[in-house]
Amino acid sequence: MQCHHYDAGRCHSCTLLEIDYPTQVLDKERHVAALLAPVSTGSSTDPSTDLSTGLSTDFSTGSELTWLPPVSSAESAFRNKAKMVVSGTVAEPVLGILDRAGHGVDLTDCGLYPDALHASFAPLAAFVTRANLEPYQVSGVGKRAQQRGELKYLLVTLSPDGELMVRFVLRSQESIARIRKHLASLQAELPALAVASANIQPAHAAVLEGDLEIPLTERTTLPMRIDDITLDLRPQSFFQTNTAVATELYRQASAWVSEVGPSSLWDLYCGVGGFALHCAAPGRAVTGIEISAEAVAAASGTAEKLRDGAGAARFRDVTFAAGDATAFAIGPDAPELPEMVIVNPPRRGIGADLAQWLETSGIEHVLYSSCNATTLAKDLAAMPSLRPVRARLLDMFPQTSHYEVLVLLERV
């Protein structure tokens, strides 16, 4: 992918842009394979097979971790979400990022965004002016630092069906009335806008959003259609930024769970229910646990609608609850053990306590979806009885060193 912002030194977020895309994918495969080799075999042998073949790779005698062919992405226009820092002035807002000097860099033509997101930026910039939303800025340093302005970010999410969710991240509620007053004009200029909200983040800190979310439209969820399941995404809910690769992730998880065929399944760190709902089946009790109450509300709403449809039997025993995944599993009120567990933790991994519980639980199969292979390897080292038997890299984040990896663990 060619990028004039990268060439000019204005933005280097795409750290691998100078490496051709097939090589990026191959390098990521080799990286994760090297990390998983010790925990899959008890050795420190690096992989010697070209994993791009998708063939089974035998790391040591008597133990085999099968790598499926990687899931590649489109090289550009793959992101379904734009996080735009708002800088400049009310009359001339700049949507993009801040450079090292704190000056705004216009990234409304970034190659990672599809046309539908590109088309939203001009109406949103015009709305900033119309609603008199002063971009947030800080002058001075330390105790003398002074904060001005209200609008910190514009967060724009695109659904597979072309609808948009727009979130205004604000310093306070001072501008809410003006946003409401002019919102109809934005909807007229941006007919794809389905959901709008304001998030209040008063702190001057490297925190994207605050706890308070104020709905601005009658609709409060954005439908994210993945194959035959439409997930309801709420403003503060997490969803993968690459819809096409996320679809393949859920398909692979569903296929491996179907092969195991558990009668009961836990989905820990379930988010809006992507894994739980795609892995549901008639006669299978599925429980999703997620710390975000917003995400759980969205997942529960999706399940309720699916139970009212033609596939009611498939989703009859799917439930979601808000809570800490580790506390749910190892707490004094923990329910009966399931036959299989899915974990999809944040970058920090599942941690020592949950890993130790899984190691001693006797559960035969665990499906681990990771966005950080380093913490994945650390967690797997703490679960030596659960051996990786299948793995697949999914390149959710082209042009960067990040990726997703799905690993099926089997008790030995």
Side-chain angles (χ1 to χ4, degrees):
M1 184 181 83
Q2 192 70 26
C3 176
H4 63 284
H5 295 295
Y6 184 93
D7 294 340
R10 291 187 292 268
C11 176
H12 280 172
S13 299
C14 294
T15 55
L16 303 184
L17 202 61
E18 297 180 42
I19 302 174
D20 67 275
Y21 185 59
T23 302
Q24 290 183 31
V25 176
L26 181 58
D27 286 346
K28 292 177 183 184
E29 288 183 286
R30 287 172 171 162
H31 179 256
V32 66
L35 286 171
L36 296 196
V39 294
S40 63
T41 66
S43 72
S44 59
T45 304
D46 289 335
S48 57
T49 302
D50 183 348
L51 297 180
S52 63
T53 62
L55 298 178
S56 211
T57 302
D58 190 359
F59 291 107
S60 69
T61 304
S63 180
E64 188 175 86
L65 170 58
T66 301
W67 286 90
L68 274 67
V71 175
S72 297
S73 169
E75 297 182 39
S76 61
F78 58 83
R79 286 187 64 92
N80 58 30
K81 182 177 181 179
K83 183 188 78 173
M84 309 299 278
V85 177
V86 184
S87 59
T89 64
V90 171
E92 296 183 354
V94 177
L95 310 185
I97 61 172
L98 298 178
D99 63 17
R100 292 182 178 178
H103 301 134
V105 177
D106 186 333
L107 290 184
T108 55
D109 60 347
C110 172
L112 302 185
Y113 302 136
D115 290 342
L117 283 180
H118 287 151
S120 73
F121 297 141
L124 286 169
F127 182 79
V128 170
T129 303
R130 188 181 311 120
N132 193 28
L133 304 177
E134 183 180 359
Y136 176 79
Q137 56 184 303
V138 178
S139 59
V141 295
K143 294 182 178 180
R144 295 185 178 182
Q146 294 184 335
Q147 303 174 50
R148 292 182 52 196
E150 285 293 314
L151 182 58
K152 294 184 173 184
Y153 300 97
L154 285 170
L155 308 180
V156 190
T157 303
L158 174 67
S159 81
D161 296 317
E163 292 188 316
L164 295 171
M165 176 191 290
V166 175
R167 301 173 66 202
F168 300 87
V169 180
L170 305 167
R171 180 183 172 195
S172 74
Q173 298 187 47
E174 181 272 336
S175 56
I176 294 294
R178 296 196 303 278
I179 294 175
R180 292 188 186 278
K181 176 182 177 180
H182 295 283
L183 188 59
S185 67
L186 177 60
Q187 291 173 308
E189 292 184 12
L190 196 58
L193 177 60
V195 181
S197 66
N199 179 272
I200 310 304
Q201 206 293 79
H204 175 56
V207 179
L208 178 63
E209 59 186 63
D211 294 330
L212 178 60
E213 194 82 23
I214 301 173
L216 300 172
T217 52
E218 182 176 352
R219 284 179 55 182
T220 57
T221 61
L222 186 70
M224 303 296 287
R225 180 176 45 81
I226 306 292
D227 288 332
D228 62 339
I229 293 176
T230 299
L231 302 169
D232 286 331
L233 183 64
R234 294 195 176 200
Q236 290 182 299
S237 302
F238 169 79
F239 189 80
Q240 299 284 4
T241 59
N242 191 323
T243 305
V245 177
T247 299
E248 296 300 324
L249 176 67
Y250 294 139
R251 287 174 181 171
Q252 185 62 75
S254 177
W256 284 349
V257 170
S258 294
E259 289 181 23
V260 174
S263 63
S264 54
L265 175 70
W266 288 357
D267 179 9
L268 305 181
Y269 312 93
C270 69
V272 295
F275 285 108
L277 293 166
H278 281 87
C279 295
R284 177 176 298 154
V286 180
T287 301
I289 301 297
E290 166 61 44
I291 195 70
S292 167
E294 275 283 292
V296 168
S300 298
T302 301
E304 189 63 33
K305 287 192 292 186
L306 290 169
R307 281 193 287 270
D308 291 337
R314 177 181 173 189
F315 304 101
R316 181 173 294 119
D317 294 325
V318 178
T319 58
F320 296 94
D324 177 77
T326 302
F328 172 82
I330 69 178
D333 299 322
E336 182 180 350
L337 287 179
E339 293 184 3
M340 187 173 185
V341 171
I342 297 173
V343 292
N344 181 31
R347 291 188 59 80
R348 65 178 181 270
I350 64 174
D353 291 342
L354 186 54
Q356 178 62 25
W357 176 81
L358 285 169
E359 168 67 14
T360 59
S361 67
I363 293 170
E364 291 292 326
H365 293 91
V366 174
L367 190 62
Y368 194 134
S369 180
S370 171
C371 60
N372 185 347
T374 301
T375 54
L376 167 65
K378 181 179 179 181
D379 288 338
L380 296 188
M383 303 185 288
S385 296
L386 288 163
R387 185 65 56 84
V389 291
R390 295 187 196 175
R392 192 172 197 184
L393 179 137
L394 301 102
D395 192 20
M396 199 80 69
F397 314 102
Q399 317 305 340
T400 77
S401 59
H402 301 293
Y403 55 83
E404 194 88 11
V405 60
L406 189 66
V407 184
L408 178 63
L409 312 177
E410 186 174 89
R411 189 169 296 278
V412 296

